[in-house]
Amino acid sequence: MASYDYLIVGGGMTADAAARGIRERDPKGTIGLIGADPHPPYNRPPLTKGLWKGEAPDSIWRKTDEAGVELHLGRRARTVDAASRQVGDDRGATYEYRRLLLATGGEPRRLPSAPEGIIYFRTLDDYRAARQLADQGARFAVLGGGFIGAEIAAALRMQGREVTMVVPGEGLGGRVFPAALSRFLVNYYRERGVRMLVGESAERVEGRDGRFVVHAQRTGPVTTDAVIAGLGIVPNVELARQAGLAVSDGIEVDARLRTSRHEIYAAGDVAQFPSPALGKRTRVEHEDNANTMGKIAGLNMAGADQPYEHLPFFYSDLFDLGYEAVGDVDARHETVVDWKTEFREGVVYYLDGGRVRGVLLWNTWEQVDAARALIAEPGPFRPEQLKGRLPAS
Ligand SMILES: Cc1cc2nc3c(=O)[nH]c(=O)nc-3n(C[C@H](O)[C@H](O)[C@H](O)COP(=O)(O)OP(=O)(O)OC[C@H]3O[C@@H](n4cnc5c(N)ncnc54)[C@H](O)[C@@H]3O)c2cc1C
């Protein structure tokens, strides 16, 4: 039986960041990693961005082995016996640990009763499958108007591919962007040649003669060579549940990223943590959170006593538009929009009870720290006080 001082379940960005955090404090302790993905940890954001724009395929690797980590890849941890501190995997192997990290991320939501071959875009192999189809000139349907759908549709269109987007809401990124911006993006995508079916849902997808037929509720059947679905993720909490840990919208952790059993930690997309800046518990599905939280989990596993107080930011690129966002950017909040050039450059403030809870920096750069400082201010703010507060670049 393999035995480790530190065992990490999950082979994503959080897992890699945690291994590096452990190493920073403990140069000698043994670290094992069990990852279901057959590949060692890699950066996910380039899968919908840089790799489509000529970034070298090899640039994505995190080189986790260089931190002296034993990798057990293509294996899924199935059981955690918290009393005996053992993890069992799907090939019958058992691993002992002193400290355990669950960095199991999330699984893409799937369409019920859909045929094989739909790409639920999340992994390197999903990218490779999409790339191969794109290189063969395939026509694509992209289901979903969130981050993944919007980014992959833009990437494919920039390769000259025919793309139809099926978007359930009124516009793109409707959960985050104010309605007018979200609607603007629909036209912006149309102008770039994407067929936009908005306020539409895919009732059923059918495989037919090596192609797909997407049955859109109002438009009717749309025939394509490939379907990519970006329908969000469901956090992978089964292991934690099976181990008897507290689980809600994710694995519950305290400020030090410990679960309800203190020798077991959780971090990244799967972890629900207390955010002092937002004054509530939250779960974040973004890179900065994976990197920073993973690192702090690793440091704490190796004996540090560091609270996770970071307010993560995230970013995205949509054709030649780009943005960074901090905090609780929820379109249901009151928004104050401060455009330098409408829909092209500016700042959106998200308010709740007069307090700034989130900031969207639209083609506006180097303001993330200033946005964090603003969110830390107690307020209350009146809308006119926010105009010009964070200058567009
Ligand atoms: C295509 C794409 C583009 C993105 N772009 C951006 C971006 O531009 N900006 C941004 O801020 N964020 C972006 N994100 C989000 C960001 O990449 C994620 O927040 C981050 O990858 C989360 O890392 P994680 O390690 O917590 O989880 P995951 O990446 O989900 O990794 C978890 C890993 O654990 C493995 N696993 C799960 N259960 C088990 C088990 N029982 N046993 C073994 N292994 C298991 C899974 O196979 C997976 O490899 C993007 C995500 C994707 C998919």
Side-chain angles (χ1 to χ4, degrees):
M1 184 194 320
S3 182
Y4 296 102
D5 294 315
Y6 309 98
L7 182 62
I8 300 171
V9 177
M13 294 160 71
T14 303
D16 171 78
R20 288 169 196 285
I22 293 168
R23 268 292 164 262
E24 213 173 291
R25 257 189 90 89
D26 183 350
K28 294 218 181 88
T30 52
I31 309 176
L33 181 153
I34 308 170
D37 198 313
H39 305 291
Y42 50 85
N43 290 323
R44 290 201 198 277
L47 305 182
T48 40
K49 301 182 195 61
L51 293 187
W52 296 92
K53 295 179 188 163
E55 212 171 89
D58 272 353
S59 63
I60 63 171
W61 301 114
R62 306 270 296 208
K63 302 181 181 158
T64 311
D65 53 336
E66 288 178 3
V69 179
E70 254 177 56
L71 302 173
H72 304 273
L73 302 175
R75 288 161 179 260
R76 193 167 279 278
R78 288 277 182 227
T79 55
V80 176
D81 182 340
S84 63
R85 299 197 181 195
Q86 291 182 356
V87 172
D89 76 14
D90 58 356
R91 295 205 214 160
T94 307
Y95 312 76
E96 239 175 17
Y97 62 85
R98 202 168 56 78
R99 298 264 185 283
L100 174 67
L101 174 69
L102 300 178
T104 46
E107 214 62 51
R109 264 197 203 98
R110 286 167 185 266
L111 292 164
S113 62
E116 285 290 298
I118 292 179
I119 302 174
Y120 297 95
F121 204 96
R122 183 131 183 111
T123 65
L124 176 58
D125 288 344
D126 295 333
Y127 160 76
R128 287 180 175 166
R131 183 79 206 210
Q132 196 181 6
L133 287 160
D135 290 347
Q136 291 164 357
R139 294 164 302 163
F140 286 81
V142 174
L143 312 183
F147 298 106
I148 297 294
E151 287 193 356
I152 196 69
L156 291 166
R157 191 64 205 129
M158 286 192 286
Q159 303 296 308
R161 298 284 67 83
E162 209 177 281
V163 182
T164 301
M165 278 195 92
V166 181
V167 178
E170 262 189 69
L172 287 182
R175 290 195 180 164
V176 170
F177 305 138
L181 177 56
S182 172
R183 283 195 298 267
F184 159 81
L185 285 172
V186 173
N187 282 333
Y188 181 79
Y189 269 55
R190 276 194 181 125
E191 282 165 12
R192 275 147 195 82
V194 181
R195 183 181 179 208
M196 299 295 288
L197 307 181
V198 178
E200 186 54 291
S201 64
E203 286 198 309
R204 190 160 59 86
V205 180
E206 193 191 339
R208 199 186 285 169
D209 308 326
R211 298 212 164 89
F212 293 93
V213 182
V214 177
H215 293 273
Q217 197 178 29
R218 292 187 295 129
T219 312
V222 177
T223 303
T224 62
D225 305 308
V227 177
I228 296 184
L231 308 172
I233 63 164
V234 180
N236 282 322
V237 296
E238 308 77 35
L239 262 189
R241 205 169 258 143
Q242 180 269 322
L245 307 177
V247 167
S248 48
D249 160 50
I251 306 174
E252 290 185 7
V253 293
D254 65 14
R256 267 122 189 115
L257 309 179
R258 298 171 302 200
T259 66
S260 47
R261 279 194 78 107
H262 281 189
E263 73 283 6
I264 306 180
Y265 294 70
D269 278 16
V270 79
Q272 201 230 45
F273 62 96
S275 167
L278 299 178
K280 64 173 189 178
R281 297 187 64 84
T282 187
R283 196 171 62 73
V284 173
E285 296 170 2
H286 294 297
E287 179 183 27
D288 179 27
N289 183 62
N291 285 331
T292 315
M293 198 184 200
K295 180 169 176 197
I296 290 182
L299 288 168
N300 287 348
M301 287 167 79
D305 183 32
Q306 221 169 293
Y308 181 58
E309 292 176 336
H310 183 66
L311 184 59
F313 84 103
F314 66 92
Y315 62 94
S316 183
D317 295 334
L318 311 168
F319 291 102
D320 50 358
L321 294 172
Y323 65 85
E324 294 176 325
V326 192
D328 198 2
V329 283
D330 182 331
R332 289 169 301 185
H333 288 323
E334 179 193 351
T335 53
V336 176
V337 179
D338 191 10
W339 293 121
K340 185 171 171 189
T341 310
E342 195 178 31
F343 304 137
R344 299 283 169 172
E345 195 181 346
V347 180
V348 180
Y349 303 89
Y350 296 73
L351 284 113
D352 185 18
R355 226 185 133 146
V356 179
R357 294 296 179 178
V359 179
L360 173 68
L361 300 158
W362 192 257
N363 272 347
T364 293
W365 310 106
E366 290 171 22
Q367 297 289 346
V368 168
D369 283 338
R372 285 194 180 109
L374 183 61
I375 292 167
E377 284 187 34
F381 290 96
R382 279 176 281 112
E384 57 276 19
Q385 287 175 297
L386 291 169
K387 299 263 178 182
R389 178 67 193 254
L390 299 179
S393 40

